[in-house]
Amino acid sequence: MEILGIDIGGSGIKGAPVNIETAELTTDRHRIPTPEISTPDAVSEVILELIQHFAWQGPIGCTFPAVIKQGVVKTAANIDNSWIGVNGEELIHAKTGCKTLLLNDADAAGIAEMEFGAGKGNSGVVIIHTFGTGIGSAIFVNGQLVPNTEFGRLEIRCKEAEQRASARNRTEEDLKWKAWTWRVNEFLERMETLFWPDLLIIGGGVSRKHNKFLHLLKARAEIVPAQMLNQAGIIGAAIAAGKRFDI
Ligand code: BGC
């Protein structure tokens, strides 16, 4: 069974039909840059374009870089503020005619990794962090997601962790791997003190370069790179929509 997965990010909106039984993209991914002013209207216009690109008529799953409660966007750290309070599921449904599930981007990535990737078969407490523009998080207990965790908001040295240790910090501040992982380690240490995870999955765009920094990360728990790289969001959104719409 196929569902269109869409990953709404700060710089690009990417989509592909996904076979939710195998987690494979059935067609090449299509990417459209996120509009510079990423208002609900502008973003839903791009989603319509993606849907037309794939001539899609079925249900869709969309990730979003924010807290989502019953389809409503509650925060907007890396997207236009006008999203706050908007029911994104209703908006996208009205625009495209497709039944829509909207969920947090890191939750979607976590779902994909737990079902088909680095966390597959792992019971216990698993935490995935996605390092990109911000720091996304998802926590699973015996495979069950606790949605909308925002561990990137943890305060370290008077700043939110995602303002010190995101992948954006590394590039914008021109940090060497060692300096950046030092900050990430500080964050992971706090996370371990609070949650005692059994497995830590490192995701987000930077996980593609894991051979440069994974050996520098320190934790009591096992640390592994995400396996689905930049497709985790698309795949996880499609899987979650399959569950929501009982497909
Ligand atoms: C947001 C999270 C999101 C993360 C990664 C943070 O700024 O608050 O909801 O998961 O960025 O995109």
Side-chain angles (χ1 to χ4, degrees):
M1 190 68 208
E2 281 181 35
I3 294 194
L4 185 68
I6 297 181
D7 192 8
I8 303 175
S11 60
I13 302 180
K14 301 143 268 179
V18 179
N19 176 331
I20 56 171
E21 274 120 34
T22 60
E24 278 158 353
L25 307 195
T26 57
T27 313
D28 280 349
R29 197 178 78 125
H30 188 62
R31 178 185 190 275
I32 301 175
T34 307
E36 213 154 290
I37 305 188
S38 51
T39 57
D41 264 358
V43 170
S44 54
E45 197 55 51
V46 172
I47 292 171
L48 179 62
E49 240 185 89
L50 271 176
I51 282 167
Q52 287 166 345
H53 172 87
F54 291 109
W56 190 259
Q57 290 180 334
I60 63 178
C62 289
T63 76
F64 204 76
V67 170
I68 309 292
K69 298 289 274 185
Q70 285 83 40
V72 179
V73 177
K74 296 289 187 184
T75 59
N78 293 312
I79 196 99
D80 198 80
N81 265 330
S82 58
W83 273 98
I84 294 180
V86 170
N87 188 318
E89 290 183 351
E90 284 177 10
L91 175 80
I92 297 167
H93 185 190
K95 184 90 183 173
T96 63
C98 299
K99 278 201 284 187
T100 303
L101 165 78
L102 194 68
L103 81 166
N104 173 264
D105 54 1
D107 286 354
I111 290 169
E113 292 295 336
M114 289 305 287
E115 301 229 356
F116 291 96
K120 191 170 173 207
N122 200 300
S123 52
V125 177
V126 180
I127 298 180
I128 172 164
H129 285 118
T130 58
F131 293 87
T133 313
I135 298 180
S137 59
I139 184 165
F140 294 80
V141 184
N142 296 328
Q144 188 68 42
L145 170 70
V146 179
N148 288 311
T149 54
E150 289 282 318
F151 297 144
R153 308 259 154 261
L154 204 70
E155 201 176 296
I156 298 177
R157 297 183 192 270
C158 303
K159 267 193 176 175
E160 287 184 345
E162 80 165 14
Q163 318 227 316
R164 289 174 42 79
S166 66
R168 171 160 66 179
N169 286 117
R170 189 185 72 81
T171 47
E172 284 187 356
E173 294 176 45
D174 205 12
L175 299 173
K176 299 261 184 285
W177 288 108
K178 209 167 162 195
W180 177 69
T181 48
W182 195 86
R183 294 185 186 185
V184 175
N185 278 332
E186 238 181 3
F187 171 58
L188 296 182
E189 193 185 325
R190 287 286 204 87
M191 290 299 301
E192 288 216 294
T193 306
L194 296 171
F195 295 101
W196 285 80
D198 300 297
L199 179 68
L200 284 166
I201 302 175
I202 306 295
V206 76
S207 62
R208 251 179 302 145
K209 301 184 182 153
H210 64 85
N211 56 348
K212 298 228 186 272
F213 68 88
L214 211 74
H215 62 285
L216 298 169
L217 293 179
K218 292 192 183 71
R220 279 184 221 102
E222 187 188 353
I223 308 179
V224 293
Q227 285 175 9
M228 311 229 164
L229 307 175
N230 56 1
Q231 294 179 352
I234 293 176
I235 294 169
I239 294 171
K243 289 195 176 142
R244 158 78 74 86
F245 301 123
D246 213 7
I247 292 166

